[in-house]
């Protein structure tokens, strides 16, 4: 009997184009094989002769990480079989076509994600084996697979939370929510490599690389590591936070248009943190990274967000008798808004019922297990007050549920409670609406309606768990029970007389109505109302007063009066912070009793608007004329204007143009051509910044047709 020639591998076709399309990774390109776990992919192996299944033995080997090990789950060996054997590594369903072997490979839905090397070992009978490299592939989480912990059973939601490469961040104030366009760009060619580079720079990897890689099958672990690595407080993470408003050594957080430039800069500089980020930048970069890895992710804004360091579920703020909001040395604060992420996953580490959206917060506020990271915390657990469940649920619960106590300070001592607000924190929790540019309130996912019996019951339940049985409620209850809060003899309200515009005087209206109270059920009262206006920082803290005013009112029982107030532009022109938010505070002193009442109004000022138009149909590879128009509506010139354009599939990287000075009242018109590189829905983001206004933003949704499409 003739000796059969040795089987030798001559070529491999990884079929990247077909596989990437079927695994929803074609947007990353088709030069490399990028697949998702728990799903078949296909190879064609060409040999020196026809494959004979009786005598030729092929063993496949897949390896990832620095020290691949079957014990750790970072190495798999599997044989060629006719039928796929379940949720394990396998090569099956093969067909022989002349000298070619077509084979289906399957990766289990709980496999470690990462860069893999694929090899085969060929042997005949009892003879020695020869190893051939087949190539490399990248393995990602698979939200399309029912077996994967990130499975999301809705194609519409998958398109929004995995495939959409642009979106919006919601900023500002609960009553003046502004939408900021953001280029996530998770499918730009090098972003997937940078995502794994971030994981490989983590303290967990540096301490024990093999163990860290072995845990990358667990989405809870990967999310937690990423939330620590997006900030740079413990490690060479991606972004350095800066809330000082001095950004001279880097880029202002307001001037980023998207994540791609940040991630590329971090990688190009060898993992040096990028300067600078604030919460919306941290969360948007985290969204890019997690969507890229295959985890459904969205960006969420919480307006009036508590940072409750001592976990007592109360935040104290202080005013003096002149209505000036006082800075405090306490670390507790109320952010005007705070931005975090939600990632979708099954929580096998928790009791049943806590699957779905989980909060992850990469902004460095507080340490968790020794590192600046936060989450995943189940949104369901937050709503139900189950603050004992991992991870960091008490911290997130306080962010949306803490009570605010406002004190009047006299001679450095807190002497009087001006207000106890049980519903002023955790307002208008918002995310982008699916398939729309509008924002959607998801507050009801985080808590029951404010003031409802369920909401207060959950608050008491969480209080008992967080404060212990001795202090089963908030520390100011003693004062409340001793009559610290009494009914007031008048109601005060501040209204805007007209829509506030940056560059214009601000007109307000004070309304006072005399009502019965236990001290003065009848008769007139005299009020001395002192007003103070201050610019607010992002962390909720005040700048020094920029305007003061005093009003004296005598009010008969049952009567109402109005007083106009004018805050001139000259007072706030050079005093605004990045937030463009002014708090007008008024403290009314009742002359008969010496007691005080508080009235507040926050005013949000928007920068000028720019418009973006495109003149024709967008097609891949063809010039697309873009028109950008900006009118300077301020009373001062905008100097040293620069424009930055960005948009995945429309612009390669960024386009920057110097525009010079834009005189007050004048209009700037810019035309330029783009050459789209990808078909489908795209978004162009435009930023114009100047010395006077750092962020004038706009966007245009553009649908790009394939080259040559009818």
């Amino acid at each position: 009997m003739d000796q059969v020639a040795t089987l030798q591998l001559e070529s491999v076709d990884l079929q990247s184009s077909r596989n990437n399309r079927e695994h929803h990774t074609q947007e990353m390109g088709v030069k490399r094989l990028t697949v998702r776990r728990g799903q078949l992919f296909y190879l064609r192996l060409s040999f020196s002769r026809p494959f004979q299944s009786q005598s030729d033995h092929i063993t496949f080997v897949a390896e990832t990480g620095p020290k691949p090990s079957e014990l750790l789950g970072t190495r798999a060996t599997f044989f060629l079989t006719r039928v796929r054997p379940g949720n394990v590594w396998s090569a099956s369903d093969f067909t022989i076509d002349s000298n070619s072997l077509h084979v289906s490979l399957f990766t289990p839905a709980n496999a470690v994600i990462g860069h893999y090397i694929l090899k085969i070992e060929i042997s005949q009978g009892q003879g020695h084996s020869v190893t051939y490299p087949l190539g490399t592939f990248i393995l990602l989480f698979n939200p399309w697979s029912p077996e994967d912990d990130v499975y999301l059973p809705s194609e519409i939601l998958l398109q929004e939370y995995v495939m959409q490469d642009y979106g919006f961040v919601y900023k500002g104030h609960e009553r003046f929510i502004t939408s900021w366009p953001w280029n996530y760009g998770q499918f730009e060619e090098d972003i997937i490599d940078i995502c794994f580079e971030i994981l490989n720079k983590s303290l967990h990897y540096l301490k024990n690389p093999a163990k860290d890689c072995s845990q990358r099958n667990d989405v809870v672990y990967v999310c937690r590591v990423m939330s620590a690595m997006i900030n740079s407080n413990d490690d060479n993470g991606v972004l350095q936070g800066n809330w000082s408003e001095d950004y001279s050594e880097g880029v202002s957080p307001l001037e980023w248009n998207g994540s791609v430039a940040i991630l590329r800069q971090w990688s190009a500089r060898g993992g040096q943190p990028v300067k600078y980020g604030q919460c919306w930048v941290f969360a948007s970069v985290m969204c890019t990274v997690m969507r890229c890895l295959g985890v459904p992710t969205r960006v969420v804004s919480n307006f009036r967000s508590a940072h409750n360091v001592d976990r007592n579920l109360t935040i104290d703020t202080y005013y003096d008798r002149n209505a000036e909001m006082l800075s405090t040395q306490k670390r507790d604060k109320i952010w005007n808004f705070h931005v975090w992420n939600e990632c979708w996953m099954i929580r096998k580490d928790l009791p049943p019922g806590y699957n779905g959206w989980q909060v992850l917060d990469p902004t460095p506020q507080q340490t968790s297990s020794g590192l600046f990271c936060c989450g995943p915390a189940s949104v369901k657990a937050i709503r139900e007050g189950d603050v004992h469940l991992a991870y960091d649920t008490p911290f997130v619960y306080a962010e949306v549920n803490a009570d605010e106590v406002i004190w009047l300070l006299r001679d450095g001592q807190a002497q009087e409670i001006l207000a106890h607000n049980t519903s002023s924190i955790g307002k208008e929790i918002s995310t982008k609406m699916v398939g729309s540019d509008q924002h959607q309130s998801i507050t009801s996912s985080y808590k029951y309606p404010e003031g409802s019996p369920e909401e207060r019951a959950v608050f008491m339940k969480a209080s008992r768990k967080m404060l212990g049985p001795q202090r089963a409620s908030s520390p100011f209850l003693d004062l409340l029970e001793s009559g610290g809060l009494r009914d007031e003899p008048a109601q005060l309200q501040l209204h805007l007389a007209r829509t506030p515009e940056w560059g214009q005087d601000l007109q307000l209206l004070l309304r006072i109505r005399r009502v019965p109270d236990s001290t003065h059920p009848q008769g007139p009262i005299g009020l001395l109302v002192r007003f103070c206006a201050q610019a607010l920082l992002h962390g909720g803290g005040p700048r020094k007063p920029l305007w003061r005013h005093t009003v004296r009112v005598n009010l008969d029982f049952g009567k109402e009066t109005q007083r106009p107030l004018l805050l001139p532009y000259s007072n706030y022109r050079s005093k605004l912070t990045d937030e463009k938010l002014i708090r007008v505070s008024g403290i009314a002193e009742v002359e008969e009793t010496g007691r005080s009442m508080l009235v507040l109004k926050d005013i949000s000022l928007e920068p000028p608007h720019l418009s973006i138009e495109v003149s024709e149909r967008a097609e891949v590879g063809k010039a697309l004329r873009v028109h950008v128009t900006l009118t300077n509506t301020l009373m001062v010139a905008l100097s040293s204007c620069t424009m930055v354009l960005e948009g995945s599939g429309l612009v390669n990287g960024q386009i920057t143009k110097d525009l010079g000075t834009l005189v007050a009242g004048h209009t700037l018109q810019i035309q330029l051509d783009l050459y789209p590189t990808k078909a489908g829905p795209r978004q162009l983001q435009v930023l114009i910044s100047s010395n006077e206004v750092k962020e004038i933003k706009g966007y245009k949704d553009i649908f790009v047709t394939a080259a040559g499409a009818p």
Side-chain angles (χ1 to χ4, degrees), residues 428-467:
E428 286 299 321
I429 304 172
S430 300
T431 193
K432 179 185 174 296
M433 192 178 286
V434 174
S436 163
D437 288 354
Q438 302 302 308
H439 81 273
Q440 171 189 359
S441 174
I442 54 170
T443 312
S444 60
S445 302
Y446 281 83
K447 51 186 176 179
Y448 290 95
E450 293 285 5
S452 66
E454 297 92 339
E455 185 261 343
R456 281 289 103 181
V458 166
F459 186 85
M460 293 310 293
K461 170 182 169 184
S463 298
R464 280 192 292 273
K465 286 177 180 168
M466 289 171 70
L467 303 169

Side-chain angles (χ1 to χ4, degrees), residues 65-80:
K67 291 181 182 173
S69 146
E70 295 198 24
L71 189 65
L72 291 172
T74 49
R75 184 177 196 268
T77 57
F78 46 102
F79 308 105
L80 203 55

